[in-house]
Every structure is written in C-alpha cells, then in structure tokens.
Amino acid sequence: MSLSFVRLALYGLAAAACFGAQAADFASWLDRQLLAQPAVIAEQQRLLAARAEADGLAKPLYNPVLSAFGEKNGNDNNVALGLEQTLDWWGQGDSQQQEARLTRVQATLAFDARLQQQKAKVLAAMARFLAAADEQQLAQQQRRYLGTLLALVKKRQVAGDLGVVDAELARLNLSSRLKALADADAAYEEARAELEALLPNASVQKSVELDGYLARLRLPEGEEWLARHPAVALAKARWQLSRQQVETRRRAVKAKPTVGLSAGRDGGSSSVEVGVSIPLNLRNDFQSDVAATGYQALASEAAYQQQYLNQRAAWRAAKGRLASYQRHYRQWQQWREQDVQPRLERFWQQGELATAQYLQGLNALAQSQSDGIALEQQTRLALIDALAQSGQLSVKGVTL
C-alpha cells in the first residue's frame, strides 16, 4: 500500500469525523433553539399544569370536618367538640391515583408530540429558506447576465450584426423575466421572515448545515415502531386514561359513609357521641354518569385505532413521496450539463443560433435551474416529513 493512498484514506477519515462533529453540533444547537421558543415554553407550562392537576388527583379525597358547639343554660355551660370523616369505602382514591399516573403519562406524550411537530416545522422552514436563497442567488446571476446581454444586443445592433426585429425581441424577452427575478427576491424575504420568527435568537444562515444534519438521521425499517410514534402513543394514553376514568366514576357515585365523634359537657355531666351517616342513592343512582364516561372511553379506543391507521397511511405516503423526489432529483443531477449558457451565447454570436432560438434556450436553461432548486427543496421537505411521520425528530435536553 502506497504512502499517498494511506494519506488520502486518513484525510477521508478526518473529513468524515469533522462532518459528523459539525452535524452533531448542529443537532445540539437546534434542540437548544427549540427549547427557547416561546411556543415550546408555553407547551412546557401546559405540561407542568397537567402534572399539577395529576398531583391533586393523587391526594386523599376527604378532609376531616371539625365542629364546635357551646351554649349557656342557666348556671350550666354546655360545650361539645365534634370530628367527622367521610370514608373512601370503595377505593375511589386508589383509582384516582392510577388516573393521576396516566394523566402524567398523557401530558408527557402530548408535550413530546408537540415538540416533534415544532421541530419538523423549523426544519421545513429551513428547507424553504435554503431553496429561496438558491433562487435569489440564481436571480442575481441572471440579473447581472441580463445587463451584460442588453449591452451586447446594443453593440451588435450598432454594428449591424443584429436586425431591429431581433433586437426588440431580445429586449422584450429579457424584460419579461424581470417579474421572475422580483418574485425570487420576495420569496427569499418571506422565507427569511418565517425562519426568523421560529428562531428569533439565531442566525438564519445556520440553515446551510441542514443537509449534513438530515444525512445523519435514519428512517426506520418495517412498521413495528408505529405503536411508539408520539401521536399513536398519545392516542393510546388518552384511551387508557379514559378507561381509568370510567372506573373512578363508578366508584365515585357509590354511597360513602361518614363517621362522626363528638365529646363535650351537657349540664354537669360529660357526654360522648358516635354517629354514622350514609347517603341513600334512591332517587338518583348516578349510573347515567358512569355510562356517559364509558361511551367516552369507547370513543377514545376507536380514536386510538384510527390514529394508528392514519399514522401508518401517512408514513407509507411520506416514504413513497420521498422515494419519488429522490429518484427524480438524482435524474436531474445526471442530466444537467455545465457551461450551457456560455456555449449558447457563443453559438448566437457566431450566427449558428437565431435570436429567437437563443432566447428560447436561455429561458429553458433558467427554467431547468429553477426546477432543480425546486426538486431539491421538495426532496428535503419529503425527507423531513418522512422523519416526522416515523417519529425520528425527538428533542434532547428537555428537563422538567
């Protein structure tokens, strides 16, 4: 093995390591930016609110009731002190503790799902910004070339190499492309503003590292992971919570006894009383409330099953869309030719191309370049969508 070959191999390994480190840095940077977004901070507060509600559910149901009584009857002072406690005879508190646990799980999954959606939104905005920047750069190149071309048209017209009709045709064709150039500038400003709104504390130029980041992510094989997708897992958690709520409601409507103890002095003697009270659910047994909660649980189960089917369909569609765009973008890269514009200009100046053919060729070239940018953008967006539909956009560094 030659020394030069070893040196090239080492250079390749060093470049790959540098590329990987840059992509990892971008991933960490992106997650930090996401967690600093006001929209994500709002979701964090909703998560904390849901956890606080769950903490309330897990606490004991009934507090003791303290009562005091006093009166003066002649020379006698009559006093009494009582204490009452409602008993959780049917274990409603135990059921609510399970409900609290499932509430926390649901809230965490909802936050994770929302966070992945926000990450996909930011990545898509970056993809649109990169495409808009490429379109603007292409427009700037065309704008400079148009100026040079107009000067050349005037020069050839003065020299008699170009007729009046051809010169006017060239001017009309070039002026008609000004709107496309203005549209490219406007699209760039819109894409920049969208990205700045999503990443208010970061430079939009960081988007140039997007492709390296996406290249490190891998799409899953098969479909066994579908049950773990944030949206599917969230729907399942809602179903499990609704089932537990049925059990909680069933225990809540049962009659619960209240035990009371009272001690005091009545006249000159001491007295102690013990009492028990039990509500009689005769006029209303509250079973309709239990039935309503049960129907809600059945609806949640059906929603979970539908979410699974929807997610599977969305994943398959995203995977097919990505494969299509990747195939056509690779074909465009293979078919495009370099230095077409200078060759067309040379053929036109040499008289091998008529002015109409030359302008038609320029328009076709500009359209091809713009189509390539659009294909690259759609390929990026399709990859981001496939990653989102497969739940691969988790955010690290969340501490709650």
Side-chain angles (χ1 to χ4, degrees), residues 13-209:
L13 290 174
C18 181
F19 177 80
Q22 185 182 29
D25 290 343
F26 177 84
S28 300
W29 169 86
L30 178 60
D31 289 348
R32 289 196 302 271
Q33 295 300 319
L34 281 168
L35 294 175
Q37 283 185 345
V40 173
I41 293 175
E43 291 297 327
Q44 288 177 327
Q45 298 308 309
R46 294 188 185 98
L47 171 60
L48 294 176
R51 288 181 173 179
E53 291 179 359
D55 291 342
L57 278 174
K59 293 184 180 298
L61 290 174
Y62 307 108
N63 287 314
V65 177
L66 181 65
S67 60
F69 169 79
E71 69 171 359
K72 184 174 179 63
N73 187 6
N75 294 326
D76 297 326
N77 293 321
N78 300 329
V79 295
L81 188 64
L83 187 66
E84 292 184 352
Q85 176 66 60
T86 300
L87 305 179
D88 184 16
W89 195 261
W90 306 102
Q92 179 185 347
D94 295 337
S95 182
Q96 284 194 181
Q97 287 183 357
Q98 292 298 318
E99 188 178 331
R101 181 183 64 82
L102 292 172
T103 298
R104 295 188 189 96
V105 171
Q106 176 188 283
T108 303
L109 289 172
F111 176 71
D112 183 41
R114 184 68 183 88
L115 201 54
Q116 291 207 35
Q117 290 174 0
Q118 192 70 9
K119 190 170 187 177
K121 186 177 180 180
V122 171
L123 293 175
M126 286 184 173
R128 287 190 290 270
F129 172 75
L130 288 176
D134 289 342
E135 283 282 5
Q136 189 192 49
Q137 184 178 9
L138 177 62
Q140 290 172 349
Q141 293 173 353
Q142 290 179 349
R143 190 177 290 111
R144 288 192 296 268
Y145 186 73
L146 289 180
T148 304
L149 191 57
L150 284 172
L152 184 58
V153 166
K154 292 178 182 179
K155 182 178 179 181
R156 289 193 60 186
Q157 188 178 13
V158 171
D161 294 339
L162 202 64
V164 176
V165 175
D166 285 342
E168 288 301 322
L169 180 62
R171 292 189 183 94
L172 288 173
N173 185 278
L174 296 176
S175 63
S176 67
R177 293 168 62 185
L178 293 177
K179 180 181 182 301
L181 303 182
D183 288 343
D185 288 340
Y188 173 80
E189 294 301 330
E190 290 177 3
R192 183 186 183 93
E194 178 191 15
L195 191 53
E196 286 178 343
L198 292 171
L199 301 176
N201 301 318
S203 170
V204 296
Q205 301 305 325
K206 192 76 172 176
S207 302
V208 297
E209 301 178 28

Side-chain angles (χ1 to χ4, degrees), residues 194-389:
E194 178 191 15
L195 191 53
E196 286 178 343
L198 292 171
L199 301 176
N201 301 318
S203 170
V204 296
Q205 301 305 325
K206 192 76 172 176
S207 302
V208 297
E209 301 178 28
L210 174 64
D211 289 333
Y213 168 75
L214 294 177
R216 296 182 69 242
L217 301 179
R218 293 290 179 266
L219 295 174
E221 299 291 338
E223 295 181 347
E224 297 79 7
W225 53 268
L226 271 169
R228 300 190 302 273
H229 188 277
V232 177
L234 175 59
K236 184 176 182 180
R238 286 171 176 163
W239 168 44
Q240 292 175 330
L241 176 59
S242 63
R243 284 195 311 176
Q244 189 61 44
Q245 287 172 338
V246 174
E247 180 61 22
T248 300
R249 189 57 185 164
R250 186 184 66 81
R251 299 184 185 189
V253 299
K254 290 182 176 293
K256 302 175 186 63
T258 299
V259 177
L261 175 65
S262 176
R265 292 185 61 83
D266 186 1
S269 60
S270 300
S271 64
V272 177
E273 297 180 356
V274 178
V276 177
S277 62
I278 301 177
L280 302 177
N281 296 341
L282 298 178
R283 302 182 64 187
N284 185 359
D285 59 4
F286 303 101
Q287 291 306 306
S288 57
D289 295 343
V290 179
T293 311
Y295 293 138
Q296 290 293 336
L298 293 175
S300 297
E301 181 181 9
Y304 159 60
Q305 294 170 347
Q306 188 61 56
Q307 181 62 48
Y308 182 91
L309 296 175
N310 291 346
Q311 196 60 50
R312 184 174 64 182
W315 158 244
R316 292 177 178 178
K319 186 169 59 172
R321 186 164 52 248
L322 174 61
S324 176
Y325 277 118
Q326 285 178 331
R327 182 174 65 254
H328 288 90
Y329 182 54
R330 283 194 297 265
Q331 289 178 350
W332 179 85
Q333 289 178 311
Q334 293 170 359
W335 291 351
R336 67 174 178 173
E337 293 187 16
Q338 303 296 331
D339 302 327
V340 176
Q341 188 167 293
R343 292 205 306 271
L344 288 176
E345 182 180 340
R346 186 173 65 252
F347 293 153
W348 174 60
Q349 292 191 35
Q350 293 173 354
E352 298 180 32
L353 275 180
T355 300
Q357 292 174 320
Y358 174 51
L359 295 174
Q360 184 179 4
L362 287 180
N363 288 336
L365 176 61
Q367 185 61 50
S368 175
Q369 292 172 323
S370 181
D371 288 344
I373 294 174
L375 273 174
E376 185 180 34
Q377 172 185 329
Q378 292 302 323
T379 302
R380 288 187 183 121
L381 291 175
L383 177 56
I384 292 168
D385 184 49
L387 290 167
Q389 298 303 340

